[in-house]
Structures are given as C-alpha cells and as structure tokens.
C-alpha cells in the first residue's frame, strides 16, 4: 500500500503562521494583507502517510497564502510501471453525509456497510463529520471579524476529532492520525491568526480551511477499514477532481482533465477499496476550491461518471425520496423510483432529493442513483434512473402520472402589465436584464400569448430591489401610459407538480386544478414547460400546505383526507360517530378515504383535537376533556388545520340557529352535510341564497337524510331532473312515526293506544304532538317542492293536524297523553268508514308540481295500493313523471330511526369523499 504526504495545510508556511506580524491597532488591515501577500516562499511541511497524494516527494514550492496552493508542474516518475484503471460495473460508489459519520459509532457502522458490500471494487465518498463544516466556516468568519473566540471553536474541532479517533483507532493508526491532526490544527491556528491580523480572507483560502473536515473524516474511515485488515487507500480528491469556476458561484467539472488525473492517481495507488473526500476539488491551477454546499453528492456523481460505475448510493438519514415533504403531508410515501428528470425537477423546487447538478454526470452514462437510509437498512430506498418500459400495460396505466410535489415559500409575484408591451421586441429582455442587474433570482415566469403582461416570481427578500429597478428602467413607459403598472403581490408560495408520465397522460392539469378548486384554493399564476414534466402554480402562502395536501390526495399518493366537525352528538350524531368508528379502518384500507373527526360539539360542551378524535372512546373523552361549547371556536379549529385540505361540518341537530350558519360555512370553503330540515324548509329567500352559493362554488351541501332518512329520495329526484325528466307529482308517506301508527291502527284498537305503543317503542318524539301535528311532514314536502322548482313557503302548505284542537294547548306531553283517549272516537269513525269501503287510512304529503302546490293530510287508499302494503315504520314515496306517468317510480324502506338516518348522513359523507377524489 502506497502512502505519501497529502495536500493539506502543508501548502502554507508554518513559520509565517507561528510568527505573526506585529499588530498595530492604528494600522490598515489592507496594508497588513499586502505585507502577507509579498511573502511567498516557504518550505513544505511533510506529514505522516495517511492519504495518498500526487504532492508526495516535493520538498519545497512557492505559495501565495490567499491565492494559490501550488503552481509547480507535476513531475511523473516514468520509471514506475503504470497500472491501468479498470472502469465499469465492477465499481460501486457510496456517499456518506455528515450525519452518517457524525460519531465514532456511526463511522464504525459505515465501515461495516462498506465491508459487507459485495461489489468487486468500491469507492466511498465522505463528508465532514456533522456540524464540522459549519464550525469551519465559523472559524473564518470569526477570524475575519477579529473575534478571538475562533481559538475556542478550533479547540472544539480538535477535541471532536481527537475523541473520535481515540474511540476508533489504536496503535500506529491512532498515533499517525493524532500526529497529523495536531499538525493541521497548529497550522490552521497560525493561518487564522494571519486572517485575524489582515481582517480578510480570499474565497480560495476559505475553501482550503473548510476542506479539512472532509480530509479528517476520510482519514478516520480509511484507518478503521485498514484496522479490520483490509486494503484501502485514501484519496484527497483535490489531486483528482478539477473544476472551472463560473461567474454564477458555481463550478463546472472538467471531466477530461479529471479523468487524466484519476488515471495517474490510480496507477500510483491501485486498490479495490478507496475512501475519497467529498466536497473539495481543485482548479486547473491547483488552487483548492469546493463544489459549494451539498457538494459531496456532486463529488460522488462525478466519481461515478469517471469510473463508469454500476451504481451510486447516497446514504442519508431518510428512507428515500418522499412524494411530498412529510413535515407538511403526513401521508407522504416513499417513491420506489424516479426518473432523472423527475428528480431534477423536484430538487429544483426544494424537495429533499439531491442537488440538481448531482444528476447530470450519471445521467450521461445511465448510472442509477439510489437514496438509502443508513439508520434503516431494511428500507429499499429510492432509485433514480432512466425509466424502463413496463411490460404490463395495465400496471402502467394504473400508475399515477404524477410522482411528487414540492413547494417553495417566501416568494413574491411581480407583474409588469401594459398595452405598450404587445408586439414590442425586447420588452422581456429589458425586464429580465433589470432583474439580473440587481442580482435577483427568478424562480418562475408566466406570460399570456396576448403579451399584455409578464409575471414572474422572485424571493420575497429581493422583490423590493426588483420593483425599484423595474420602475427606474421603465419610468418613461409608465409615465407615457405604455405600461399601466408594475405590481408586487407578496406572501406567495410555489407548488410544483412533477411527473415524467404527465407528458403522455391527458387530463392531469384538469385533475390538478380541480383538486385545488375543490379545496377552495385560488391560483395566482401558472407555468408549464413544453416537456410537461412539471406544472407550477403560485398560491397564497397561507394556502400552500392545504393546496399541497389537496393535490397529493387527488393523485392517490395519500388517502383522501377530510376534517370533520360533528354538531349534535345525540341519537343521530352518536349513531353516526359509532358508524364512523366501525368503518374507519375499511375506508382507509380499501378506498383510500381518511375521515378525521376533529371536533364534536353539543349545546353545552365540545371536544376538539388537532390530529383526530379517537372514536373508540369519544364519549369518555367528551366527559374528561370537554370544554365549554363555542361555535365560532369550534368551526375555526376544525377548518383551521392546514394539514387537511377538505373540511365538512355535519349538523345532526334540528336547530334553526345551527342551520343559519350554513351560508357562511359554505363561503369559507367548508362543506356541509345534514339531516336538519330547518335550512331547506325555512324562509324561501334564505333557501334560494344558500342554493345559489352552492351552485356557484366548489363547496358541497348534501342533505339526503332531510326527507327519507337513509332512503335515496333527494338523489332520485335530482337524478330525474338532471336527466331531463319532468316531475308531475310526488306523493308519499314521509313519517316513519305516522306510518307505524296507521299500519297498526286496525281492527278495534283505539288511536290513543297505538300512539302510546309508538311512544314506548321510541318511534315518536318525546312530545308526540311534534309528530301528530304534521309539521315534520310539511317540511319534507316543502323541501321536495323546492327541489322540483316550486317557490313555496312553508306557510303555503295546508296541513291537517292529528292533534285535537283542545289539546294543542296542553301544558305537557304527559297531560296530552292523558287527555288523548277522549278524542279517539273521531278517528275510529274515519277508520270504520274506510274499512267499509275497502280502504285504509294513510297520512301523506303531496307535491303537485303541475298545479304548483303541496298538501299534507290523512287520505284513504285502496287495500291493493302500494301505500296500503306498508308494515312497521316504513316510508314510501311515489314519483310520477313524464317517463313514469303510468307506473310511478317508487322508493320504499325504513324512514325513521337513528341508525338509518345516520346511515343516510354517512352515505352523503362518502359521496363527498368521492367528489373530492376518492376512488369509486
């Protein structure tokens, strides 16, 4: 194994740094810098053999502390026989970030992973230990600021690496590393002292200082592998990787020169296992520099391309690439594969994938990149590669065309608008030249084909400078009216939808915008390239998370999630909550529907949750954690959770006050579902206003259970009307209570006895007069009349009450029941007359659409009539239409009871989920 003195602080004169220039408090730091720059020639310090380097054997050189490392030509020993560098699938590249090598235990873990990797040849790229890069940058900043605490920070760097080495190494390996570490720290201390005197450091000097973190971690890892008895060489990548700095604070790899240097390095240091430094590189003039932040991933990709490796594995602390930021979308999933283009797009828009430039080197040679979690080796991770054609066309069609979503916050839109822009060449150039002059970064651009306006997004902290520059540049056009305005829209966020298959899938944009509309999200700007890999929209910052959740759910990457608030946990509300509890797991597993009850409120107490109430014990929680009911707070908490895009309030009361809030809730984008008849049977003006709002917005108002409990009455009527049928008449037995009473009012039974029986069986309200008055039936009739297009008030419906006139004023239900037998004779006479004629008595409601009226009354029907065939508390409704004129369309079934009514409400909830994107 060949070792030599590595490139390090040895490039810089130890003698200079140990004898700092005298510091005059009145002196000019720039003059001190000039003095330092005049001193150029220093003996090169030798260091123990730790990393193999092309700089070995050089006794001296000429250096400039703040500008260059070495300028002498590399002298090759032609007497040494060259070893050819093997390239291809035998090599695998691994990259471990700072978190992965953050402690001695983690470095051991990394070594174990490398040793167990079955690849024939391995190259491992490592970052500095976690936090070390930040500490090194802090050293430079403090020294430039003449803050002597840089010495304390440097001591902390020394102690971190020293304690790690003591835990990992022993014998010669330990003494060799510690000797070099102390020498490096001593040199750095002298150099930082020089910076402190000058008050300034060049970028190349800063890059050199910061790069020590990678050198030390590479030396530690290679020493641990060697300690296990394996052949391993350590590569200082500044000897191999050459980059050309650009004007945009980036560097471009010189693959040709890097390839030549790699061939030379390998010929001198052949090995099947190499540990290489990430992040640090050199310029063609051998000046140390870096690949900038997150550059270690880029280092690994460049090495993958140079070695033509089989695979590049990026080890990190997450299981792979998520479909969305899991901090914002708790249901985000790990993506098994991404194309190079998809990864590129997602990383540009802030997804925690890779730096966009990392993908470029490997994409040329179709080398896959795999993102793995070092703390969860069982997770397969995400593979970024060229997509392979699926042999199974069905699977290919079922796969979502969208892979993931990413967001960028804290942006502002700049809109330049005016008729003077139309058809004028160079306007866009002038706009963006002005933006460039202030150094602002344009994130997104959108322009309509009319050329009347151009809008673009920039970081919010740059928008003031951009606006001022544009107003200055176009002052004459603004004054002359050729431009009408340069407007700034603050508090914006970008939502990017990414997927390579979007290009071949019609309707993706429609699905995306539909999901946003249903979540009540307003789009401020849109951009899409002709490649169709990315659709970008700009939304309000406060809507960003809700928008992200809405589109994520729409494309089946997560469950359709709905935040629910239940008002009225009585008989119907309680039954609904129990049904939701029993069905929740099935809905999640089979239908991708996640219904989260975020709040339950009665008239006195309410229960709230930020993540969803545990419905297995909601009654106990209401007692233990309930607070004073407050409708405004309740709605705000249920709807204010931005992690859930859709909100529905389910009103299970019969309260007019609650119903009066429906209009405001719908305006806020809150869906409403209810069995409460008060809103649809209340004042006509309010009803029409409510329905108009419902039709104009993407919020839904469902009320199936208001008429037939669990029977599909409203849905049937709407289906007839929507398909062009004309309603002539609707007639039915709408009260389960009165259906039970008259189904059992036969023979010689007294009417009052049947009412007592119905009350004891739980069919009636606590006060049976509420049923016998016919008002409930009248409300159902008015709802159906209005649904059929009739503009009637409740007062327009004649109602035959079954409550004897003298008993309407009874003080209590008990008094009413005691007095009711006195009036049995009248109804007994009507029953006797009906039976004599072969008829039965039924209490019905009628909507006469032809004559535009409605009525509620006790009628006689022949025993063969469908209304005479009922049993128990069943309801029956007959629709007579143009299509069903001779033989009415009949809907029949249980029409009363908490369970069936709750089932009707539950059906509306699932209908809402289907509208919002759940699979049918």
């Amino acid at each position: 194994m060949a070792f030599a003195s590595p490139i390090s602080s040895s490039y810089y004169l130890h003698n200079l740094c140990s004898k700092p220039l005298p510091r005059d408090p009145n002196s000019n730091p720039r003059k001190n810098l000039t003095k330092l720059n005049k001193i150029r020639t220093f003996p090169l310090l030798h260091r123990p053999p730790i990393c193999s380097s092309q700089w070995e054997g050089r006794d001296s050189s000429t250096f400039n502390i703040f500008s260059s490392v070495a300028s002498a030509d590399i002298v090759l020993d032609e007497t040494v026989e060259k070893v050819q560098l093997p390239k291809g699938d035998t090599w695998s590249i691994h990259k471990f970030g700072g978190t992965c090598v953050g402690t001695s235990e983690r470095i051991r873990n990394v070594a174990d992973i490398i040793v167990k990797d079955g690849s024939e040849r391995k190259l491992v790229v490592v970052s500095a230990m976690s936090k070390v890069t930040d500490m090194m940058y802090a050293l430079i900043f403090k020294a430039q600021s003449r803050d002597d605490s840089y010495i304390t920070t440097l001591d902390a760097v020394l102690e971190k690496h020293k304690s790690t080495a003591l835990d990992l190494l022993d014998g010669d390996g330990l003494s060799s590393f510690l000797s070099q570490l102390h020498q490096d720290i001593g040199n750095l201390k002298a150099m930082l002292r020089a910076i402190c005197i000058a008050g300034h450091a060049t970028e190349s000097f800063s890059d050199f200082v910061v790069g020590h973190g990678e050198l030390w971690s590479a030396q530690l890892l290679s020493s641990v592998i060697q300690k296990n008895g394996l052949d391993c060489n350590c590569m200082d990548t500044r000897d191999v990787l050459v980059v050309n700095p650009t004007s945009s604070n980036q560097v471009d790899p010189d693959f040709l020169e890097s390839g030549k240097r790699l061939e030379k390095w390998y010929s001198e240091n052949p090995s099947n296992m190499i540990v290489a430094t990430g992040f640090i590189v050199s310029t063609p003039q051998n000046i140390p520099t870096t690949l900038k932040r997150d550059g270690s991933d880029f280092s690994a990709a460049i090495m993958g391309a140079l070695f033509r490796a089989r695979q590049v594995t990026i080890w990190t602390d997450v299981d792979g690439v998520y479909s969305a930021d899991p901090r914002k979308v708790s249901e985000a999933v790990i993506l098994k594969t991404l194309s190079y283009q998809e990864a590129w797009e997602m990383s540009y828009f802030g997804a925690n994938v890779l730096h966009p430039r990392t993908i470029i080197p490997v994409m040329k040679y179709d080398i896959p990149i795999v993102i793995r979690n070092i703390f969860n080796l069982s997770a397969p991770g995400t593979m970024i590669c060229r997509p392979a054609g699926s042999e199974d066309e069905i699977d290919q069609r079922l796969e979502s065309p969208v892979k993931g979503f990413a967001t960028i916050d804290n942006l502002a839109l700049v809109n330049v608008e005016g008729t003077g822009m139309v058809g004028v060449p160079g306007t866009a150039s002038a706009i963006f030249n002005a933006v460039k002059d202030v150094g602002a970064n344009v994130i997104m651009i959108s322009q309509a084909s009319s050329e009347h306006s151009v809008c673009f997004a920039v970081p919010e902290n740059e928008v003031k400078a951009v606006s001022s520059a544009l107003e200055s540049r176009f002052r004459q056009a603004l004054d002359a009216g050729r431009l009408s305005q340069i407007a700034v829209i603050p508090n914006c966020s970008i939502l990017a939808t990414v997927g390579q298959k979007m290009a071949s899938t019609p309707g993706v944009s429609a699905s995306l915008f539909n999901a946003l509309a249903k979540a009540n999200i307003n789009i401020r700007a849109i951009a899409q390239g002709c490649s169709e890999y990315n659709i970008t929209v700009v939304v309000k910052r406060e809507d960003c998370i809700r928008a992200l959740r809405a589109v994520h759910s729409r494309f089946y990457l997560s469950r359709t999630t709905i935040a629910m608030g239940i008002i009225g946990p009585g008989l119907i509300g309680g039954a609904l909550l129990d049904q939701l509890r029993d069905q929740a797991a099935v809905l999640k597993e089979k239908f991708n529907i996640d219904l989260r009850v975020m709040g339950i409120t009665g008239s006195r107490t309410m229960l709230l949750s930020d993540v969803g109430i545990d419905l297995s014990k909601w009654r106990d929680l209401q007692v233990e954690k309930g607070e004073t009911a407050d409708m405004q707070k309740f709605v705000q908490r249920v709807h204010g959770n931005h992690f859930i895009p859709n909100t529905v309030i389910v009103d299970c009361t019969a309260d007019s006050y609650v119903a009066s809030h429906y209009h405001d809730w719908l305006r806020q984008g809150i869906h409403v579902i209810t069995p409460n008849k008060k809103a649809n049977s209340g004042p006509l003006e309010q009803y029409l206003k409510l329905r108009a709002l419902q039709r104009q917005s993407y919020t839904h108002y469902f009320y199936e259970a208001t008429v037939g409990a669990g029977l599909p009455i409203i849905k049937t009527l709407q289906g007839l009307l929507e398909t062009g049928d004309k309603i002539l008449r609707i007639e039915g037995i709408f009260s389960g209570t009165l259906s039970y009473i008259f189904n059992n009012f036969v023979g010689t039974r007294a009417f009052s006895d049947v009412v007592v029986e119905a009350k004891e069986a739980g069919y009636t309200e606590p006060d049976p007069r509420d049923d016998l008055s016919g008002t409930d039936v009248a409300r159902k009739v008015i709802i159906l009349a209005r649904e059929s297009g009739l503009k009637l008030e409740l007062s327009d419906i004649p109602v035959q009450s079954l409550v004897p006139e003298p008993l309407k004023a009874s003080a209590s239900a008990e008094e009413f029941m005691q007095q009711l037998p006195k009036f049995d004779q009248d109804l007994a006479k009507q029953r006797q007359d009906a039976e004599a004629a072969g008829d039965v008595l039924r209490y019905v409601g009628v909507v006469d659409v032809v004559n535009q009226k409605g009525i509620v009354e006790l009628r006689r029907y022949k025993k063969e009539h469908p209304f005479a065939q009922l049993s128990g508390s069943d309801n029956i409704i007959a629709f007579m239409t143009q299509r069903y004129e001779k033989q009415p369309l009949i809907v029949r079934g249980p029409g009363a009871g908490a369970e069936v009514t709750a089932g009707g409400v539950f059906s509306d909830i699932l209908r809402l989920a289907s509208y919002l994107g759940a699979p049918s």
Side-chain angles (χ1 to χ4, degrees), residues 162-338:
K162 180 179 177 181
S163 61
T164 303
L166 289 170
D167 195 23
L168 289 172
L169 307 175
D170 53 32
D172 292 343
L174 176 62
S175 60
S176 178
F177 177 82
L178 291 180
S179 174
Q180 187 59 58
L181 176 66
H182 282 285
Q183 181 175 320
D184 288 346
I185 293 294
N187 291 342
L188 285 174
K189 189 173 293 186
M191 295 172 194
L192 291 165
R193 177 62 177 163
I195 292 178
C196 194
I197 293 170
H200 172 73
T202 62
E203 182 181 352
S204 59
F205 188 88
S206 298
D207 288 344
F208 174 76
V209 171
V210 170
H212 279 75
E214 276 69 21
L215 285 169
W216 294 326
S217 63
Q219 292 161 12
L220 282 168
L221 179 59
S222 63
S223 296
V224 171
I225 295 173
Q226 291 165 10
K227 181 183 174 182
N228 291 332
L230 297 174
D231 179 28
C232 177
N233 274 352
C234 180
M235 176 194 289
D236 181 343
T237 49
R238 292 176 297 188
D239 296 342
V240 173
L241 300 185
V242 179
V243 298
N244 294 301
T246 69
S247 58
S248 54
N249 195 32
Q250 291 184 341
V251 292
D252 292 331
D254 186 335
F255 286 97
L256 183 61
E257 180 61 26
S258 297
K260 292 177 182 178
R261 294 194 181 192
L262 176 61
E263 294 275 4
K264 175 188 179 299
W265 186 95
Y266 190 84
S267 70
E268 298 172 354
N269 307 281
S271 177
N272 288 340
M273 191 179 301
I274 302 170
V275 177
T277 56
F279 183 55
I280 55 177
V281 290
S282 292
T283 68
Q285 296 76 34
N286 297 319
I287 300 172
T289 186
T290 69
L291 294 171
K292 313 310 173 189
R293 283 288 191 170
D294 299 318
S296 292
D297 289 349
F298 199 11
S299 298
I302 296 170
M303 285 296 186
L306 291 175
F307 280 91
R308 308 294 193 269
R310 174 180 58 85
Q311 178 175 293
V312 175
T313 304
I314 307 293
W315 293 90
T316 180
D317 56 358
V318 294
D319 286 343
V321 180
Y322 283 88
S323 54
D325 187 339
R327 295 168 298 182
K328 298 177 181 179
V329 182
S330 58
E331 295 85 2
V333 298
I334 298 294
L335 301 171
K336 293 181 180 178
T337 61
L338 279 174

Side-chain angles (χ1 to χ4, degrees), residues 460-694:
E460 203 156 32
N461 59 0
E462 297 176 356
V463 72
K464 187 174 181 180
V466 169
S467 178
S468 298
L470 290 173
E471 287 178 358
S472 175
R473 171 64 180 80
F474 293 102
R475 173 51 54 200
Q476 185 177 354
L478 287 165
D479 292 342
R482 295 194 303 276
L483 288 186
S484 57
Q485 64 171 345
I486 297 173
V488 172
I489 305 172
N491 302 319
C492 293
S493 292
I494 276 180
L495 168 62
T497 302
V498 175
Q500 190 164 347
K501 288 184 66 179
M502 294 195 306
S504 58
T505 307
V508 174
S509 296
S511 298
L512 173 71
F513 298 139
N514 191 35
L516 292 171
K518 287 181 176 180
N520 208 35
I521 305 293
N522 182 45
I523 299 172
R524 291 181 161 180
I526 304 168
Q528 179 181 10
C530 60
S531 68
E532 299 184 59
Y533 293 161
N534 175 340
I535 303 173
T536 301
V537 297
V538 179
V539 299
K540 292 180 182 177
R541 185 189 302 158
E542 58 265 31
D543 290 339
C544 184
I545 295 177
R546 196 153 48 91
L548 180 61
R549 284 299 299 268
V551 297
H552 193 271
S553 295
R554 176 61 186 85
F555 287 96
Y556 308 105
L557 294 173
S558 68
R559 307 175 185 96
T560 300
T561 308
I562 303 175
M564 300 177 61
I566 309 295
I567 303 177
L571 288 174
I572 296 172
L576 174 63
L577 287 165
D578 291 341
Q579 290 176 10
L580 288 168
R581 173 200 64 205
D582 297 339
Q583 196 67 7
V586 175
L587 291 173
K588 286 182 181 180
E589 181 180 349
K590 292 188 177 181
F591 300 100
N592 290 325
I593 298 171
D594 187 2
L595 302 177
R596 301 187 187 182
V597 178
M598 314 300 286
I600 303 171
T601 185
S603 58
R604 294 184 179 86
T605 61
M606 65 181 180
L607 177 64
L608 299 172
S609 171
D610 290 327
V611 294
I613 296 169
D614 182 355
L615 295 184
S616 66
K617 50 183 179 181
W618 69 268
R619 290 179 175 86
D620 294 334
L621 290 173
Q622 200 172 25
V623 174
E624 296 168 8
K625 299 184 178 181
E627 55 188 280
T628 303
D630 181 329
M631 185 65 72
Q632 184 177 356
K633 181 180 179 182
F634 174 80
V635 174
Q636 185 177 3
R637 284 287 296 276
V638 171
H639 184 51
N641 191 328
H642 285 190
F643 287 87
I644 301 179
N646 309 297
T647 305
V648 60
I649 288 182
V650 182
D651 172 20
C652 295
T653 72
D655 192 277
S656 298
Y657 171 74
V658 177
S660 69
H661 289 82
Y662 293 177
H663 188 272
D664 288 339
W665 293 341
L666 290 170
R667 285 186 61 188
Q668 295 175 49
I670 302 172
H671 309 287
V672 176
I673 293 174
T674 185
N676 187 346
K677 293 177 276 292
K678 297 298 173 64
N680 284 13
S681 63
L684 179 62
E685 182 181 355
Q686 293 181 19
Y687 167 80
L688 294 174
K689 185 179 176 183
L690 184 64
R691 293 306 306 276
L693 176 62
Q694 178 198 3

Side-chain angles (χ1 to χ4, degrees), residues 418-429:
T419 55
M421 297 172 58
V422 179
V424 179
T427 303
S429 174

